[in-house]
Amino acid sequence: MSDAIETFSLSKNYGNGRGCHDVTLRIPAGEAFGFLGPNGAGKSTIVKMLVGLTAPTDGRALLFGKPAGSVEARRRIGYLPELFRYPGWLSGEEALRFHAKLCGLRGRDAKRRIDTLLDEVGIGHRGRDRIKGYSKGMQQRLGLACALLSDPDIVFLDEPASALDPVGRHEVRELLQRLRREGKTIFLNSHLLEDVEQLCDHVALLNNGRILADGRVSDVLRASASRWRFRVGGMAPELLDWLREAFAAPVHTVPWKEGETPAWGELWLEAELEDDEQVGYFNRLIMEQGVTLYESHKVKSSLDEWFLQAVSGLEHRGENR
């Protein structure tokens, strides 16, 4: 499989500590890639270099083997920036027709493509309405349609669902999943980690302009899925310390969910366990002490958890530094 995106020690120095440093990425064609990081980490700076809106201070980037920003590379990309504005006096259709001309689409081909995209992004007949009457979510949908007009091979999306309600997020996610099935490469810069988890094949975490961690989403979730929970009854408080010593592993109680009504003496225990053998041993230790074991299950890991663990204790540039 060829690489859609490659960066080699890509750096941008703004002279104020912002920007990015020595970013090296390789994204195969046809994959969905999630780019994560705190506010001010430098994610948008990297996207702008990849689409050719700003030049790197050092390093280089290639899109399908062509230099980022070159005419050959730009012909194969679509881009939805995080901050965008369309003239309010235009209708959605008029804005799309203008962008279609920039893409070289004319006549019936342009109309057919615009009508299709208006339906796919959920605007439909409201494409005839003035943009000034659109909600933020509707404008986000219009921006996504503009990014897809040229039927690009790579779609760069900077927070594409930030203004959408849950129904809109679901619809956009389904559209992006269809694009991935069609072989498109998706570069998704998002704070909505649930969307990244459900859509992306590969993920990287940026902090203070440097790649902190990266990997396939399936591997990241598998590696962090080591926590088990046990619902028990009749457990004396001092038994918790005994379990920690006997098992030599982190064990603690967790609060009940809102609305749950535990019976007297019931507790949820959580322990970090490596495999099923350790789970069985933990169960045996509990029951040998006369504790009732009602149920046990593995805690489903998530990118939110991985993200928080990765940046825990680190300084972040944030928006105000």
Side-chain angles (χ1 to χ4, degrees):
M1 182 183 294
S2 63
D3 293 327
I5 303 171
E6 294 177 279
T7 69
F8 306 89
S9 298
L10 195 65
S11 302
K12 182 67 176 181
N13 182 7
Y14 288 114
N16 59 359
R18 292 184 176 272
C20 59
H21 316 281
D22 297 319
V23 174
T24 297
L25 296 171
R26 187 181 68 83
I27 303 170
E31 283 203 354
F33 175 81
F35 206 32
L36 311 177
N39 289 331
K43 303 185 301 297
S44 293
T45 294
I46 291 174
V47 172
K48 289 176 182 177
M49 286 190 286
L50 291 176
V51 301
L53 289 178
T54 188
T57 305
D58 199 5
R60 62 194 180 105
L62 302 176
L63 307 185
F64 290 108
K66 303 297 182 182
S70 66
V71 173
E72 295 88 349
R74 291 189 186 208
R75 283 176 177 157
R76 303 187 68 173
I77 69 173
Y79 174 45
L80 173 61
E82 181 180 10
L83 301 174
F84 59 90
R85 294 289 185 272
Y86 299 113
W89 62 85
L90 292 178
S91 68
E93 286 183 351
E94 289 169 339
L96 284 168
R97 280 201 296 271
F98 173 76
H99 283 82
K101 290 180 181 179
L102 297 177
C103 297
L105 289 173
R106 297 288 191 277
R108 293 180 180 177
D109 289 340
K111 185 179 187 312
R112 186 161 46 245
R113 182 67 176 159
I114 289 170
D115 290 344
T116 298
L117 285 173
L118 285 172
D119 287 336
E120 287 185 346
V121 301
I123 294 178
H125 68 275
R126 288 209 59 193
R128 304 185 188 95
D129 295 350
R130 300 298 171 192
I131 294 172
K132 64 183 179 181
Y134 284 7
S135 66
K136 288 183 179 180
M138 287 287 288
Q139 293 187 42
Q140 196 107 37
R141 292 170 186 266
L142 178 61
L144 181 58
C146 288
L148 298 176
L149 261 175
S150 64
D151 193 21
D153 295 313
I154 306 176
V155 185
F156 291 96
L157 304 171
D158 201 346
E159 298 292 348
S162 59
L164 299 176
D165 59 23
V167 173
R169 283 176 55 196
H170 176 74
E171 291 173 349
V172 168
R173 191 163 58 229
E174 284 193 329
L175 173 59
L176 296 180
Q177 287 171 338
R178 180 178 63 77
L179 293 173
R180 187 181 61 172
R181 290 194 296 269
E182 292 175 358
K184 308 295 186 186
T185 302
I186 299 172
F187 191 108
L188 179 61
N189 180 5
S190 179
H191 284 117
L192 301 175
L193 303 192
E194 180 185 354
D195 292 349
V196 174
E197 183 174 331
Q198 294 190 32
L199 175 69
C200 295
D201 305 287
H202 197 102
V203 65
L205 173 60
L206 192 74
N207 186 60
N208 292 340
R210 298 183 185 274
I211 297 292
L212 186 64
D214 72 295
R216 297 196 67 80
V217 171
S218 57
D219 294 337
V220 167
L221 297 181
R222 190 181 306 116
S224 60
S226 61
R227 292 185 296 119
W228 282 76
R229 286 189 180 175
F230 306 84
R231 186 166 64 92
V232 300
M235 181 171 168
E238 61 270 17
L239 191 57
L240 188 60
D241 289 333
W242 179 87
L243 273 174
R244 290 170 180 152
E245 292 182 9
F247 201 73
V251 183
H252 57 273
T253 60
V254 293
W256 293 86
K257 295 180 181 178
E258 186 177 351
E260 291 182 328
T261 53
W264 184 87
E266 271 191 288
L267 293 172
W268 274 110
L269 298 179
E270 184 171 287
E272 294 185 13
L273 307 173
E274 294 181 1
D275 50 37
D276 291 346
E277 184 177 348
Q278 284 195 344
V279 174
Y281 179 51
F282 192 86
N283 288 340
R284 194 183 83 184
L285 282 180
I286 292 175
M287 290 185 287
E288 284 179 348
Q289 303 305 311
V291 175
T292 303
L293 176 63
Y294 295 109
E295 64 175 294
S296 63
H297 65 267
K298 182 180 284 188
V299 179
K300 184 181 181 298
S301 57
S302 67
L303 280 183
D304 295 71
E305 181 181 359
W306 175 75
F307 181 100
L308 291 173
Q309 288 177 347
V311 301
S312 177
L314 300 179
E315 291 187 359
H316 317 301
R317 293 187 301 215
E319 296 177 323
N320 298 320
R321 287 187 60 187

